[in-house]
């Protein structure tokens, strides 16, 4: 018995800047279904407000409070632990961390920094890690799909820093179970009563299954044939798109 | 019975641009000892000729033919397999690959590219790997020491690409056994008759031991207290510097 549907956003609801055919319509139907809807993303090139605006502009009937972004979870953790982060993040995301003390950093935060992933920034992060700063990662996604090609996400740079400094990152976004659980806490349902729908076999589907959710891999966005074989746990559903994935709940 | 001494160069013979105290003098003595001397480096910010010139300028009595650099080994492999490399390398190293066909690349070569390790270059390499190109790495060194600080070497970027594309790099320089063996082939001695002296616990010492050589970790260059504990094989020697390491052979 499913009580909550969790959607990855980019690659699931839309690809590049175009809604997946039928996605806006099924979302409209679902908003009146009695199911709790949550939009769960590691996207870290923009703050939550911009994620929300873009979904609205594409016609998706979402509320900002239904959107859970990994960078906001990182921000919460930083404040909770009174850390002073060195933020290797996209310039557009800086507004999410503007209230954090970033002088004399004692932690390294890595999100999808895009062109800021250059030698100087990575070397600075590395030197802080060697000096003992913890490494906090928004996610460990390998790549994302855009303009018909795959592009490096934050994960590879997190791995680079882990290897260089001999440390292990604390991953705060998907696939971390704690992230899925914080989303479900806002619904008040058990993990097995929730279905995670995503195009990332590891972060969305394997991560969701590991956290006890049901999970469905969609063949849109970054999906490549055979991705389902990379999921180490049994029980993943497979659907051509988000429209097929939610059909049982309409 | 040792017949050959293999020296890592940077961090062992010199630190930054200063010879390790006493290193020039012991090298002079060793050149007349009857032992074969080889200088073995993953350094990939400069071609072999420049490595040679710098050693000469510091007063080290070496011959260019005694120097084995990982980039030259990669170059050899590229020609042998008729590959067209996309070279993610330092601009100064381009002369080593000038005779390789680099149009329509079907292989990715990664050396210590320094500031060229930026998002655009790494993303291009990633896309070639996804398309099936093999990943060939000069080394997998984590970091090097310069100006009193540690700096990212090529290894972390190799790991980033491996993780992103789900591939495994072929490491051609240290710690690859084949690299040590090609150096020993030029001497004509067995692995156990050679001693590798280096400041990198993994690439030099663990790598040397794995290839069957004897090995000595020196406490100069990138050495940090406790590095010897990272060596997974028994039998490593430990010395304060190259001078102490070669004392038994003078």
């Amino acid at each position: 018995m499913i009580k909550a549907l969790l959607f990855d956003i980019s690659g699931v609801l839309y690809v590049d800047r175009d809604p997946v055919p039928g996605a806006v319509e099924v979302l409209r139907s679902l908003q009146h279904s009695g199911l709790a809807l949550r939009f769960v993303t590691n996207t870290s090139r923009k703050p939550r407000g911009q994620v929300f605006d873009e979904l609205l502009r594409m016609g998706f009937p979402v509320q900002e409070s239904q959107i859970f972004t990994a960078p906001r979870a990182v921000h919460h953790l930083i404040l909770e632990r009174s850390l002073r982060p060195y933020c290797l993040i996209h310039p557009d995301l800086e507004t999410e961390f503007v209230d954090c003390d970033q002088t004399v950093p004692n932690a390294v935060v890595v999100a999808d920094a895009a062109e800021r992933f250059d030698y100087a920034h990575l070397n600075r992060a590395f030197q802080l890690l060697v000096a003992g700063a913890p490494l906090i990662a928004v996610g460990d996604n390998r790549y994302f799909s855009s303009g018909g090609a795959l592009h490096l996400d934050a994960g590879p740079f997190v791995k680079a820093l882990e290897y260089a400094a001999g440390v292990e990152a604390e991953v705060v976004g998907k696939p971390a179970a704690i992230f899925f659980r914080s989303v479900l806490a806002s619904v008040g349902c058990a993990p097995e009563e929730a279905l995670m729908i995503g195009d990332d076999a590891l972060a969305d589907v394997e991560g969701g299954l590991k956290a006890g959710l049901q999970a469905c891999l969609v063949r849109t966005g970054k999906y490549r044939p055979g991705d389902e074989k990379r999921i180490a746990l049994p029980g993943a559903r497979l659907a051509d798109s988000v429209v097929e994935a939610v059909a049982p709940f309409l």
Side-chain angles (χ1 to χ4, degrees), chain A:
Chain A
M1 175 64 179
I2 291 294
K3 293 184 180 168
L5 297 177
L6 277 59
F7 299 87
D8 179 41
I9 299 178
S10 173
V12 174
L13 300 185
Y14 62 83
V15 175
D16 290 329
R17 311 209 138 255
D18 301 314
V20 166
V24 170
E25 293 73 15
V26 293
L27 257 291
R28 280 211 192 107
S29 304
L30 287 170
Q31 290 281 16
H32 307 290
S33 66
L35 289 168
L37 306 183
R38 295 292 182 270
F39 304 92
V40 185
T41 178
N42 281 1
T43 294
S44 51
R45 289 196 181 187
K46 47 202 174 195
R48 184 173 78 161
Q50 192 180 334
V51 173
F52 173 59
D53 289 344
E54 289 178 2
L55 286 173
L56 277 194
R57 220 174 303 130
M58 285 186 247
F60 286 102
V62 300
Q63 293 153 29
E64 189 165 353
S65 62
Q66 293 175 320
I67 301 173
F68 287 73
T69 73
R72 280 174 70 89
V74 170
H75 175 259
H76 182 75
L77 180 150
I78 289 288
L79 293 186
E80 199 174 62
R81 298 189 194 162
S82 303
L83 292 169
R84 298 183 306 274
Y86 173 71
C87 291
L88 187 38
I89 63 177
H90 195 280
D92 290 349
L93 194 66
E94 284 175 357
T95 55
E96 294 274 33
F97 291 88
V98 78
D99 60 342
C100 297
D101 177 4
Q102 298 180 43
T103 58
V104 198
N106 63 1
V108 172
V109 167
V110 179
D112 176 14
E115 273 68 34
R116 243 187 225 177
F117 282 129
D118 58 25
Y119 189 82
H121 283 94
L122 288 163
N123 203 43
R124 169 89 168 112
F126 161 66
Q127 290 173 345
L128 287 165
L129 297 176
V130 169
L135 175 58
I136 299 164
V138 165
D140 58 7
N141 302 56
R142 291 162 195 248
Y143 48 77
F144 62 90
S145 174
S146 173
L150 300 181
H151 302 270
L152 292 170
D153 207 319
F157 299 96
V158 172
K159 296 296 168 188
L161 291 170
E162 286 185 331
Y163 176 74
V167 299
E168 197 172 334
E170 178 175 358
V171 176
V172 176
K174 298 176 286 182
I178 196 168
F179 187 54
F180 290 108
R181 279 191 216 115
S182 71
V183 176
L184 295 184
S186 78
V187 177
C189 77
E192 64 272 18
E193 295 171 327
L195 173 67
M196 174 71 215
I197 300 165
D199 66 334
D200 190 311
L202 302 183
D204 295 326
V205 178
E206 186 176 290
L209 291 172
K210 272 193 182 154
L213 286 73
Q214 301 188 45
C216 180
L217 180 65
V218 292
R219 294 195 190 89
T220 53
K222 78 176 74 169
Y223 173 83
R224 292 292 178 273
D227 274 359
E228 55 273 23
K229 292 179 199 136
R230 299 166 62 197
I231 304 166
L233 292 180
R237 306 181 191 188
L238 200 56
D240 278 345
S241 80
V242 64
V243 175
E244 186 183 316
V246 304
F249 311 105
L250 290 174

